[in-house]
Amino acid sequence: MVIYTVTGKVGEAGYLDIANSGDITAKNIYVNITNRCPCSCVFCLRQTKKMMEGNSLWLKGHEPQVEEVMEIFNQYDLSVINELVFCGYGEPLERLSDVCKIIDLLKVKYPKLKVRLNTNGLANLIHNKDVTPELEGRFDTVSISLNAPDAEEFLALTRSKFGIKSFEALKEFAVLAKDHVPNVVMTVVEKVMPEEKIARCQKICDELGVKLRVRPFEN
Ligand code: SF4
């Protein structure tokens, strides 16, 4: 499933292919174009065999090419949607240039399209350079999963292939992104994280000058 909506129910039943989503007016439309990710988070559903075999968000066979994604989009009127969100069960910026191409093509037709990126914040390590200038004019919001209040806990949770430097890189990514994107947010999940740790995450965000969003816990 490449392009989908979320009904509010958690789990596979909550994800609907755009073809089965009915009227998309005022809905968020999600784009899922890669399974690749430098992390292996302990809580990530993509780690499970069930996900890889049966879940409709796991891209089987191949990653959809830009043309295939655009073919789907061309069947819909995106002027009525709320927000387009690049997320999925992988890190969207693994496919940085394709993400940019898709947004550029869509913005020709929909110059006011609101676009959000849900990211692990490690794109500068993935590409070994500062990619945040590429976000300018393309994304309205960048939402970065902070996950933890310090580098050790972050690494223990995400098992990032980049090791202990990942947490600093994520924070630097957030600061650099502020120069190019109007709304940079970091997220943690309530209940999963004790309040004392949420307070430390809030302090980090205050120091970086970005908002912290405490996402509701869903099970
Ligand atoms: S960063 Fe996201 S996609 Fe990657 S392993 Fe963690 S939760 Fe899964």
Side-chain angles (χ1 to χ4, degrees):
M1 196 153 60
V2 177
I3 301 172
Y4 63 100
T5 58
V6 177
T7 62
K9 287 182 207 152
V10 175
E12 191 169 358
Y15 306 126
L16 289 179
D17 191 288
I18 191 168
N20 303 321
S21 295
D23 183 2
I24 59 171
T25 304
K27 288 182 179 166
N28 286 353
I29 303 293
Y30 296 84
V31 191
N32 169 40
I33 59 166
T34 186
N35 295 329
R36 283 181 280 154
C37 183
C39 297
S40 174
C41 297
V42 293
F43 49 80
C44 182
L45 295 174
R46 66 199 277 282
Q47 311 305 339
T48 66
K49 197 159 178 275
K50 182 168 170 275
M51 165 64 80
M52 294 173 76
E53 284 173 351
N55 191 286
S56 54
L57 285 183
W58 189 259
L59 300 167
K60 297 175 194 78
H62 75 294
E63 293 183 334
Q65 297 305 300
V66 171
E67 296 71 26
E68 293 173 62
V69 177
M70 291 309 297
E71 253 175 53
I72 303 173
F73 275 131
N74 286 338
Q75 299 170 42
Y76 299 91
D77 174 11
L78 297 189
S79 68
V80 300
I81 71 166
N82 177 50
E83 191 176 31
L84 189 69
V85 186
F86 283 81
C87 61
Y89 283 118
E91 166 52 43
L93 295 190
E94 283 275 357
R95 293 186 64 187
L96 174 67
S97 75
D98 288 341
V99 165
C100 292
K101 272 187 218 161
I102 291 168
I103 296 172
D104 291 350
L105 288 166
L106 290 173
K107 288 216 169 186
V108 171
K109 197 167 171 189
Y110 310 104
K112 291 186 180 160
L113 187 67
K114 267 193 340 182
V115 189
R116 169 166 37 118
L117 169 68
N118 287 355
T119 179
N120 59 24
L122 301 180
N124 289 353
L125 291 177
I126 294 171
H127 297 281
N128 206 21
K129 64 173 186 180
D130 176 19
V131 303
T132 57
E134 302 288 334
L135 309 179
E136 183 149 347
R138 296 189 170 110
F139 289 99
D140 302 276
T141 300
V142 169
S143 177
I144 305 164
S145 302
L146 180 56
N147 284 319
D150 59 57
E152 287 73 20
E153 188 170 330
F154 181 85
L155 184 58
L157 281 174
T158 64
R159 301 182 288 191
S160 164
K161 75 174 188 187
F162 299 114
I164 198 73
K165 66 182 178 187
S166 301
F167 193 66
E168 276 310 309
L170 170 154
K171 291 194 288 179
E172 186 186 50
F173 180 85
V175 172
L176 291 168
K178 280 197 301 174
D179 284 340
H180 305 287
V181 177
N183 191 26
V184 177
V185 182
M186 285 187 160
T187 65
V188 293
V189 181
E190 73 172 356
K191 294 186 188 160
V192 171
M193 184 178 277
E195 286 193 9
E196 166 268 323
K197 286 186 182 173
I198 292 179
R200 285 166 63 201
C201 289
Q202 181 66 63
K203 191 161 176 279
I204 289 170
C205 289
D206 291 346
E207 284 165 7
L208 299 177
V210 300
K211 280 175 236 158
L212 178 70
R213 187 166 92 83
V214 182
R215 288 165 37 217
F217 174 73
E218 296 160 335
N219 59 16

